[in-house]
Amino acid sequence: MKKPFLLLFAVLCLQTVSAQKEAVTIAIKNDASAPTINKNIYGHFAEHLGHCIYGGFFVGDTSKIPNTNGVRNDIVQALKDLKIPNLRWPGGCFADTYHWKDGIGPKEQRPTIVNQWWGGVTEDNSFGTHDFLNMCELLGAEPYLSGNVGSGTVQELADWVQYANFGGKSPMSDLRRKNGRTEPWKVKYWGIGNEAWGCGGNMTADYYADEYKKFATFMSDWGNTGGITRIASGANSSDYNWTEVLMKNIPLSMLGGVGVHHYAVINWEKKGSDVDFTEKEYFLTMQSALKMEELVTKHAAVMDKYDPEKKVAMIVDEWGGWYDVQKGTNPGFLYQQNTMRDAVLAGATLNIFNNHADRVRMANLAQCVNVLQAVILTDKAKMITTPTYHVMKMYSVHQDAKLLPVDFKSPLYTFDGKSIPAVSASVSKDQKGLVHISLVNVDAVNKNKIEIDVKDLGVKNFTGSIITSSKLQDYNSFENPNKIVPVAFKGFENKKGKLEITLPPYSVLVLEGK
C-alpha cells in the first residue's frame, strides 16, 4: 500500500511544481481609443497634521536647515525629482476648521488655532495661503485647495477664490497685493468641503448636495484661464449611494470632479504595527488595498449613468495604507514607517488608477511628509525617502502617457483559505514612443512568471528597474536610508518579441522598451 501512495504523492508534487511554473500571459492592446493617463493621478496630500507641515515641509525662514521662505529645499528637490503634479491642502478634516484669512498678513499678527482633529496642538498659522501657493510654484505642482464648508461660509470660500485668482481690482485682490503678491496664482482645483459624511459635518448625501450647489454657485472663476474645477466631497469607500445622489442632484456644469476616499486598513480599532507585522496582516492589508479595483469600477458605473461622456472626473483624493502609529509617537500625529508592504500597495494601487484612466483623473496619496504612507520622512535636519517614494518615481513615466490596456488572468495569492490576485500590471506608451510596463507581485512567498507578447508595440530593447528586499518588513531608516532603492532588473529575456519575466515575491518592477 505504501508504494502506490508514494507514487500518487510524487505525481501530486510534480503537478504542483508544474502549476507554479506556468507563466501568466499578459496581452497588451494597442487601442487607439484608450485614454491618456492623467499625470494628476500621481498627486499628493499635505494636511495640517502631525509633522507634515510644521517640522516637515515648513521649518521657518530662521531655521539652519536650508530653506526658501521657510520651506525645506531638500523636500522641494525630492518632490521635483518625483515630478509631483499636484498637492492637496490644508486637509483633510483640518480643512473644515480652517479659516484662510487667519493665515495671511504679517505672521506675528496672525491668530493661533487649536488643531482639534489631530493631537489638540496649538498652531500659529505661520504657514498659510501665500506659503502654500508659493511652495507649489517652487515644486512646479498644481495646488488643490480644500475649502471650508463644515464651519465656514459661502462668502469665505468665494473670497478665497477671488483672493487667489482675480487679477483685477477688488477687495480681495487688493488685500492680496497688500500682503505682497501682485499677480494671482490662478488656482484651478478647489474642493468644496472634505468628508462631508463624517468630520466635515456628518451630513447626509442629499443635504451635502444642496450645500455643494450653494457654495459652487458663488465660486466664480475670476478670469482664470480654463476656469476652475470644483470638486465634490465624495464617498467613503463603498458608499455608492453617496455618489448616486451627487451625480443625480448636482448639475454636471457645476461638477468638475467627485471624490472617493479609501484606506487599506485591517481593522479600524486595531490597525496593526507599521513594521512588526505578520504575513496574515500583510495579506489582509493587501486584500483591503486591492478592493480599490471594485470601488473604482462600481463608482464609475454610477457616474456613467448620469455622465456617459465622462466629463466629470473621479478623484481619489485620499488613499494609502493606515497602521497603528510608530511606538512612542503621538497617536494624533499618525506617524508610521514605510516598508516593502507599502511599496507593493502603492504599485498595485497605481496600476488600478492607470487602467481606469478614462474616469480616474486625479488621486492624492495620504500623505506627503511624516504622515501615514508618506514618501518623505524627516528627523530634524535629516530627510529620507521611502519605498513608496521610489515606486512613485519609477511610475512617473506613466504621467500623461497613452494607456495600453492589458488583458490577463492573474494567478492567486492564497493565505489561510482566502485568495487575492497575485499579479498587477499596467502599460503605457509616451509621446517619445517609449513603452513602460509596470508589474507587481503581491505574493509574499512565491515567484511569478510572466509572458508578454511585445512584437506589435514597435519596441525591441528593454531595460528594467525593480524594488524588492530580503524581508517584507524592511524599510529605509535614518541610519540606513538606502536599504530599499530601485536596482537594475535582469530577470527577463526577450525571445523573438516575447518577454519572459520572473517576478520575485513582493516586488515592484518597471520595464522600459525603446
Side-chain angles (χ1 to χ4, degrees):
M1 294 295 291
K2 289 184 179 179
K3 288 184 178 180
F5 173 79
L6 289 173
L7 180 61
L8 176 61
F9 180 75
V11 171
L12 288 173
C13 286
L14 286 172
Q15 287 177 341
T16 302
V17 171
S18 175
Q20 288 175 343
K21 289 183 177 180
E22 186 175 341
V24 181
T25 300
I26 297 179
I28 301 176
K29 303 175 183 177
N30 225 331
D31 184 356
S33 65
T36 295
I37 298 170
N38 194 310
K39 67 180 181 180
N40 284 316
I41 283 173
Y42 291 82
H44 293 266
F45 175 28
E47 184 169 3
H48 284 243
L49 197 173
H51 293 302
C52 184
I53 300 297
Y54 300 107
F57 278 104
F58 190 71
V59 292
D61 57 12
T62 62
S63 174
K64 293 182 180 179
I65 299 171
N67 67 84
T68 301
N69 296 322
V71 175
R72 290 181 65 138
N73 292 342
D74 52 1
I75 288 181
V76 169
Q77 188 58 55
L79 294 178
K80 288 176 72 173
D81 292 344
L82 199 60
K83 299 180 182 177
I84 177 174
N86 70 79
L87 186 61
R88 181 175 180 243
W89 176 85
C93 291
F94 182 82
D96 282 289
T97 57
Y98 183 68
H99 300 283
W100 69 271
K101 289 181 182 178
D102 292 343
I104 60 173
K107 293 182 187 290
E108 65 276 8
Q109 296 178 17
R110 298 179 188 179
T112 59
I113 183 175
V114 176
N115 193 332
Q116 68 184 63
W117 293 109
W118 308 116
V121 296
T122 300
E123 300 185 7
D124 63 4
N125 272 310
S126 57
F127 188 90
T129 296
H130 288 250
D131 306 277
F132 175 72
L133 296 179
N134 290 342
M135 182 177 77
C136 286
E137 288 185 334
L138 285 176
L139 293 170
E142 290 274 7
Y144 169 12
L145 294 177
S146 292
N148 182 346
V149 170
S151 68
T153 65
V154 172
Q155 185 68 56
E156 183 179 13
L157 185 50
D159 283 349
W160 204 10
V161 176
Q162 186 183 113
Y163 187 90
N165 286 6
F166 187 51
K169 183 174 177 56
S170 72
M172 290 301 105
S173 58
D174 286 348
L175 181 59
R176 182 190 68 242
R177 294 185 187 97
K178 179 183 176 183
N179 289 327
R181 174 77 184 199
T182 302
E183 295 300 318
W185 292 279
K186 296 186 177 181
V187 177
K188 181 176 182 179
Y189 298 104
W190 294 83
I192 301 182
N194 167 78
E195 294 189 356
W197 41 264
C199 62
N202 284 302
M203 305 176 194
T204 64
D206 289 280
Y207 182 86
Y208 172 70
D210 286 342
E211 285 291 284
Y212 177 94
K213 287 183 286 186
K214 182 171 68 174
F215 275 77
T217 297
F218 295 94
M219 292 173 67
S220 299
D221 65 13
W222 300 109
N224 190 13
T225 303
I228 62 175
T229 298
R230 301 167 180 83
I231 299 167
S233 170
N236 178 20
S237 198
S238 59
D239 185 355
Y240 304 112
N241 178 65
W242 186 277
T243 300
E244 180 97 32
V245 170
L246 299 193
M247 294 299 298
K248 180 180 179 181
N249 293 352
I250 300 173
L252 296 186
S253 60
M254 282 186 165
L255 200 55
V258 173
V260 175
H261 288 183
H262 176 66
Y263 288 95
V265 179
I266 295 174
N267 184 306
W268 283 104
E269 300 301 319
K270 190 175 181 181
K271 303 179 189 73
S273 171
D274 57 341
V275 293
D276 297 320
F277 55 89
T278 63
E279 185 185 349
K280 178 179 181 180
E281 289 173 312
Y282 167 75
F283 179 89
L284 292 174
T285 299
M286 291 309 304
Q287 185 179 50
S288 179
L290 293 176
K291 189 180 179 184
M292 188 69 80
E293 173 69 35
E294 175 188 323
L295 296 175
V296 168
T297 300
K298 290 187 176 181
H299 281 294
V302 173
M303 296 175 75
D304 287 347
K305 288 170 56 179
Y306 303 93
D307 176 32
E309 295 181 0
K310 301 184 188 294
K311 293 181 178 179
V312 180
M314 184 187 301
I315 296 177
V316 188
D317 46 15
E318 290 188 29
W319 68 272
W322 193 326
Y323 321 115
D324 290 334
V325 300
Q326 180 100 137
K327 291 179 181 178
T329 63
N330 188 321
F333 284 7
L334 305 188
Y335 178 86
Q336 61 190 41
Q337 250 297 351
N338 199 286
T339 67
M340 272 305 306
R341 170 173 63 177
D342 297 288
V344 173
L345 192 161
T349 302
L350 291 169
N351 282 342
I352 292 169
F353 294 157
N354 288 347
N355 290 326
H356 288 275
D358 60 332
R359 183 63 84 175
V360 180
R361 298 200 281 277
M362 184 186 286
N364 302 82
L365 175 67
Q367 291 187 13
C368 199
V369 182
N370 291 331
V371 173
L372 297 177
Q373 193 173 341
V375 293
I376 290 171
L377 300 177
T378 65
D379 180 10
K380 299 181 177 63
K382 297 179 182 178
M383 186 208 80
I384 59 173
T385 52
T386 67
T388 298
Y389 174 94
H390 295 298
V391 169
M392 295 197 81
K393 188 175 181 181
M394 288 167 61
Y395 272 51
S396 67
V397 294
H398 292 300
Q399 292 186 19
D400 288 340
K402 182 83 168 178
L403 178 70
L404 299 179
V406 294
D407 183 30
F408 69 101
K409 184 176 181 181
S410 173
L412 298 178
Y413 167 35
T414 301
F415 183 87
D416 201 20
K418 297 179 180 178
S419 298
I420 56 177
V423 174
S424 168
S426 66
V427 183
S428 70
K429 190 171 188 176
D430 69 17
Q431 294 179 355
K432 296 179 181 178
L434 299 177
V435 171
H436 293 101
I437 303 170
S438 53
L439 296 164
V440 180
N441 186 7
V442 175
D443 199 310
V445 178
N446 299 306
K447 298 178 182 179
N448 271 294
K449 293 190 173 183
I450 315 291
E451 287 186 356
I452 307 176
D453 190 334
V454 295
K455 288 194 296 291
D456 297 332
L457 296 181
V459 294
K460 294 181 179 180
N461 300 315
F462 282 86
T463 55
S465 295
I466 192 168
I467 290 180
T468 190
S469 194
S470 59
K471 292 195 307 179
L472 261 170
Q473 294 81 3
D474 285 344
Y475 57 88
N476 292 338
S477 66
F478 292 99
E479 296 72 33
N480 189 1
N482 296 313
K483 185 175 182 65
I484 301 173
V485 294
V487 296
F489 179 70
K490 305 294 185 182
F492 69 96
E493 290 184 277
N494 189 353
K495 294 183 177 179
K496 297 181 179 180
K498 181 176 285 187
L499 283 181
E500 296 182 356
I501 307 158
T502 300
L503 273 178
Y506 55 91
S507 61
V508 182
L509 167 67
V510 174
L511 293 169
E512 179 176 276
K514 60 176 71 175

